[in-house]
Amino acid sequence: MVLKKIIFFSLLAAIAFSSCKSTGDLAKSQTEEKSHSSSRKNELSEEEHTNLTYLFYNANKEKITGNYDKAADLFAQCIRIDGRNDASMYELAQIYMGKKKVNDALFFARSAAEISPQNTWYQLLLAELLTQSGKYNEAIAVYEKLVKENPMRMDFYFSLANAYLFAGKAEEAIKIYDKLEAQTGVDREIVLQKERLYLKLNKTDKAAAELEKLIESDPKDMEAYSLLVELYQVNNMKDKAYQTIMRMQQVSPENPRVFLALAEYYRSNNEKEKSFEQLKKAFASPQLDSDVKLRILTSYIKILDTDSSMLDQSLELSKILAETHPNEALAHAVYGDFLRIAKKTEEARKEYRAAIAIDNKNENVWQQLNFLESEMQDFDAMLKESDEALTLFPNNSIFYLLNGIAKQQKKDYEGAVKILLSGSKLVVDNDFQLVQFYSSLGDCYHELKNDDESDKYYGKALTIDPKNATVLNNYSYYLSLRGEKLDKADAMSKLSNEIVPDQASYQDTYAWILYKEAKYNDAKEWLEKALTNGGDKNGTILEHYGDVLFKLGQNDKALEYWNKAKAAGETSDLLDKKIAEKKLYE
């Protein structure tokens, strides 16, 4: 029994004093660390050593299970038993670093590194913490030591170079990269790091020379040529840029990077037509990744905000994209987006449907298709395709909203209410969408003559967004039709017109509320504003204006506007009777 206990604690000791080691440590370092641990072991009594081993084992167990506070307490107890227990100091440093307590971490890392200066892991942790603390020169000293002791560890050179960069010593960092390059030969990562540093130091020629090294090592490296062209373009060295492009062309005349480089070169010279021709060649090349083309098209979207003349170019490029990558859903979807911007709705729908046929898992494309069909007022298609989207994305509230709106437009108000109520429960952290649900429910309940529920949902929408002009307008208009709460309707409609002035439908609503309040002259004034803002083509507004004129005794003129209303369409069921009998019916 005693023998088993001794063996067990010997195993714990081995774990304790090797926990921070790695198979990557150098053999020399491992030997020295073991010797150091053995000498400390001899300084402790058997009881202290047993307690230390037991505490260290449990500390590591707590750390592994994520109980860092408990682990830190146990490691601290280890240090109280053995004030030179570097392994516990290292572990504590790591815990404090994880807790962002850099100063505490640095104290223990420094202590561990001083006790066991040959331990690579201790030195690396110390260097990292010194860097985090802004003690860059001290970090440099540690990394210099690591590089000297481990000349074949390439990662140490990179760390040292980074430390020099943090210290603002770019030229010293370049020297380290030079030493590294002397061992590795031409390496892309090293070359690009040096190129960036030379540019930072305004040493353009040396930066260019670094890229030339990449080209020399691989004369067909088109990316290196492209970077060199970009360097010359950015630094307004156009002749050298063009010469480099010609070199690219000699190596690979049909390479799309050549076309892109020429497109940028001509653009910088304000030769727009030549630039666009090269851009089209690049887009027509299957060799050029579609992601690159999509990034270019994204830049067009920003330009369209200020220059609508670029729409034709974006349409042509997105068409080439879809034709060159016919099996990529995103290519068709992007072409659809540009067609939609150009108001070519039927063509846009065709591309969205093509995208879905390739990949029906893209929720955004389904949304765009449904939004487009809403704009087209093709509510049959919108209903069908929002139904399909709901089967694919049953947890996405937007498709419940779109389906509900389609049902509402098809006058299936009960079906709309059912789907809208279900969808509203799925909305998370999206007040804008929730207002749309509640507003649509208010509309549907109004049509179902359920005034209490209609008022309830309009109220819920306005609680979230008290200045939503659409909700204010609709709610106030329906109150006016019922002849209820006209003071409230007046205030809401007035506010909607302040929020969105010169909107004919909002002006008509306010006029109709005034009409219901028997304020006929005021109503006439607001209807005339509505007519000026496009209401002269709206049957409802024209009919309302005729009604007001009749109330003001202008019967002949009232008849004239009733006839205009009939010609425009979308009027009340009483209009024909008004015209036939030349009399107002309400």
Side-chain angles (χ1 to χ4, degrees):
M1 190 73 173
V2 174
L3 179 61
K4 287 184 179 179
K5 188 173 181 180
I6 292 171
I7 292 172
F8 171 70
F9 281 116
S10 295
L11 288 171
L12 292 184
I15 294 169
F17 292 110
S18 64
S19 68
C20 59
K21 310 301 184 284
S22 165
T23 54
D25 282 347
L26 298 175
K28 177 184 174 183
S29 178
Q30 290 175 329
T31 302
E32 289 174 348
E33 287 162 18
K34 288 176 182 175
S35 173
H36 173 69
S37 298
S38 298
S39 65
R40 290 216 315 274
K41 176 182 173 183
N42 294 333
E43 294 172 6
L44 300 175
S45 68
E46 184 177 348
E47 183 180 357
E48 287 175 328
H49 176 67
T50 300
N51 287 338
L52 174 63
T53 305
Y54 178 77
L55 287 168
F56 191 88
Y57 172 80
N58 281 288
N60 272 293
K61 186 171 72 172
E62 296 293 343
K63 186 186 78 169
I64 290 168
T65 56
N67 299 322
Y68 297 112
D69 290 338
K70 179 66 175 174
D73 180 60
L74 291 170
F75 283 128
Q77 289 183 49
C78 290
I79 295 170
R80 282 196 286 274
I81 293 173
D82 177 7
R84 291 181 61 78
N85 191 284
D86 50 327
S88 294
M89 293 173 183
Y90 174 77
E91 297 293 348
L92 266 176
Q94 286 190 309
I95 290 172
Y96 284 128
M97 183 170 70
K99 291 177 172 290
K100 310 297 183 187
K101 295 182 178 180
V102 179
N103 289 335
D104 290 336
L106 181 57
F107 171 79
F108 285 106
R110 198 191 294 275
S111 299
E114 287 174 356
I115 292 168
S116 185
Q118 299 305 313
N119 187 302
T120 301
W121 301 109
Y122 295 178
Q123 298 298 325
L124 281 172
L125 180 62
L126 174 60
E128 185 177 348
L129 287 164
L130 286 168
T131 302
Q132 287 186 24
S133 302
K135 302 178 188 298
Y136 303 124
N137 288 329
E138 289 185 62
I140 288 168
V142 176
Y143 283 126
E144 289 275 15
K145 177 175 177 291
L146 285 168
V147 166
K148 184 177 180 181
E149 293 173 353
N150 305 278
M152 302 307 293
R153 287 288 298 268
M154 302 298 104
D155 54 326
F156 291 174
Y157 286 88
F158 280 109
S159 296
L160 175 57
N162 284 334
Y164 274 120
L165 289 176
F166 281 123
K169 300 178 179 180
E171 291 184 348
E172 294 299 321
I174 290 172
K175 290 177 183 177
I176 299 302
Y177 287 129
D178 286 339
K179 290 180 181 179
L180 185 55
E181 196 172 45
Q183 295 190 50
T184 64
V186 175
D187 177 90
R188 179 175 292 273
E189 184 179 354
I190 296 171
V191 166
L192 294 180
Q193 286 280 23
K194 288 167 69 179
E195 182 236 359
R196 283 191 283 269
L197 291 176
Y198 278 128
L199 287 175
K200 186 177 180 181
L201 294 168
N202 293 318
K203 295 182 178 182
T204 308
D205 290 343
K206 288 194 172 184
E210 291 297 324
L211 295 175
E212 289 286 8
K213 285 197 304 192
L214 279 183
I215 294 170
E216 185 180 349
S217 66
D218 181 4
K220 294 182 179 181
D221 187 346
M222 301 306 285
E223 183 182 353
Y225 282 110
S226 297
L227 290 170
L228 187 56
V229 171
E230 183 181 350
L231 182 151
Y232 287 137
Q233 289 275 42
V234 169
N235 288 279
N236 202 31
M237 302 166 74
K238 293 185 179 181
D239 289 343
K240 288 190 174 183
Y242 186 73
Q243 290 166 13
T244 305
I245 296 170
M246 292 301 99
R247 289 166 61 193
M248 291 174 72
Q249 200 169 48
Q250 287 178 353
V251 173
S252 182
E254 295 302 314
N255 193 294
R257 288 184 180 274
V258 175
F259 304 140
L260 287 178
L262 280 170
E264 178 58 25
Y265 173 78
Y266 288 131
R267 188 201 64 77
S268 68
N269 286 344
N270 205 31
E271 297 178 78
K272 295 180 181 179
E273 289 186 12
K274 285 185 176 181
S275 175
F276 186 57
E277 286 303 313
Q278 295 299 323
L279 205 52
K280 286 195 292 184
K281 288 181 181 180
F283 268 67
S285 172
Q287 295 178 49
L288 184 62
D289 194 89
S290 60
D291 288 346
V292 176
K293 298 171 185 178
L294 289 169
R295 284 197 295 272
I296 293 170
L297 282 169
T298 301
S299 70
Y300 268 85
I301 293 173
K302 298 173 184 176
I303 298 170
L304 289 177
D305 290 337
T306 55
D307 185 359
S308 58
S309 65
M310 299 298 284
L311 181 56
D312 289 341
Q313 282 194 19
S314 60
L315 275 173
E316 191 169 353
L317 290 176
S318 57
K319 181 182 180 182
I320 294 170
L321 171 70
E323 290 173 345
T324 309
H325 303 274
N327 297 319
E328 292 192 26
L330 198 53
H332 290 282
V334 168
Y335 185 28
D337 288 341
F338 282 105
L339 286 167
R340 186 179 172 193
I341 292 170
K343 309 297 183 188
K344 297 184 178 184
T345 52
E346 195 57 58
E347 293 176 60
R349 175 158 65 178
K350 179 182 175 183
E351 292 303 319
Y352 286 142
R353 285 175 172 170
I356 287 168
I358 296 167
D359 176 14
N360 68 354
K361 297 298 189 292
N362 190 317
E363 295 178 65
N364 186 57
V365 179
W366 281 102
Q367 288 182 44
Q368 295 307 316
L369 175 59
N370 275 263
F371 290 147
L372 178 66
E373 288 170 337
S374 177
E375 292 169 14
M376 297 168 71
Q377 297 190 7
D378 186 349
F379 298 111
D380 288 326
M382 182 180 175
L383 181 59
K384 177 180 179 293
E385 284 167 320
S386 61
D387 275 335
E388 291 180 38
L390 274 171
T391 63
L392 292 166
F393 314 107
N395 296 317
N396 191 332
S397 58
I398 188 63
F399 296 116
Y400 289 81
L401 178 62
L402 292 166
N403 190 257
I405 291 171
K407 283 183 166 67
Q408 179 185 348
Q409 293 297 325
K410 294 290 294 176
K411 302 190 185 305
D412 176 11
Y413 300 115
E414 289 185 355
V417 164
K418 184 178 178 181
I419 200 76
L420 289 168
L421 286 172
S422 298
S424 65
K425 296 172 185 175
L426 297 173
V427 179
V428 178
D429 297 329
N430 191 335
D431 284 348
F432 176 77
Q433 194 180 101
L434 205 53
V435 167
Q436 290 178 302
F437 270 104
Y438 291 155
S439 175
S440 296
L441 281 164
D443 293 343
C444 291
Y445 277 122
H446 166 77
E447 297 295 340
L448 291 169
K449 311 300 181 188
N450 190 335
D451 296 338
D452 289 341
E453 287 298 300
S454 178
D455 291 356
K456 169 186 166 182
Y457 280 99
Y458 282 136
K460 290 179 79 167
L462 290 174
T463 298
I464 298 171
D465 184 2
K467 291 189 176 182
N468 187 299
T470 301
V471 179
L472 289 165
N473 175 73
N474 291 359
Y475 189 12
S476 59
Y477 183 63
Y478 292 145
L479 286 175
S480 73
L481 291 180
R482 285 152 45 189
E484 297 177 6
K485 304 175 185 176
L486 292 178
D487 288 346
K488 181 176 182 178
D490 188 306
M492 288 193 297
S493 180
K494 186 177 181 181
L495 178 58
S496 72
N497 278 284
E498 290 172 359
I499 296 167
V500 184
D502 302 326
Q503 170 64 260
S505 62
Y506 294 177
Q507 291 169 332
D508 172 58
T509 295
Y510 191 48
W512 195 243
I513 294 167
L514 293 168
Y515 174 88
K516 287 286 189 175
E517 293 175 317
K519 299 175 182 178
Y520 303 121
N521 283 315
D522 290 339
K524 178 175 179 288
E525 179 184 338
W526 276 89
L527 280 167
E528 285 170 351
K529 290 180 181 180
L531 291 169
T532 302
N533 290 314
D536 57 337
K537 297 177 181 63
N538 182 291
T540 299
I541 296 174
L542 289 165
E543 184 179 356
H544 284 170
Y545 191 54
D547 293 352
V548 169
L549 291 172
F550 194 91
K551 286 287 187 181
L552 292 170
Q554 301 178 39
N555 297 9
D556 291 341
K557 202 167 183 182
L559 182 60
E560 176 190 338
Y561 274 89
W562 286 338
N563 280 308
K564 286 183 178 181
K566 184 173 182 178
E570 296 187 14
T571 58
S572 75
D573 295 337
L574 296 170
L575 181 62
D576 287 340
K577 193 174 182 180
K578 293 176 189 178
I579 293 171
E581 299 183 19
K582 301 179 183 180
K583 187 177 177 182
L584 177 63
Y585 288 94
E586 298 178 300

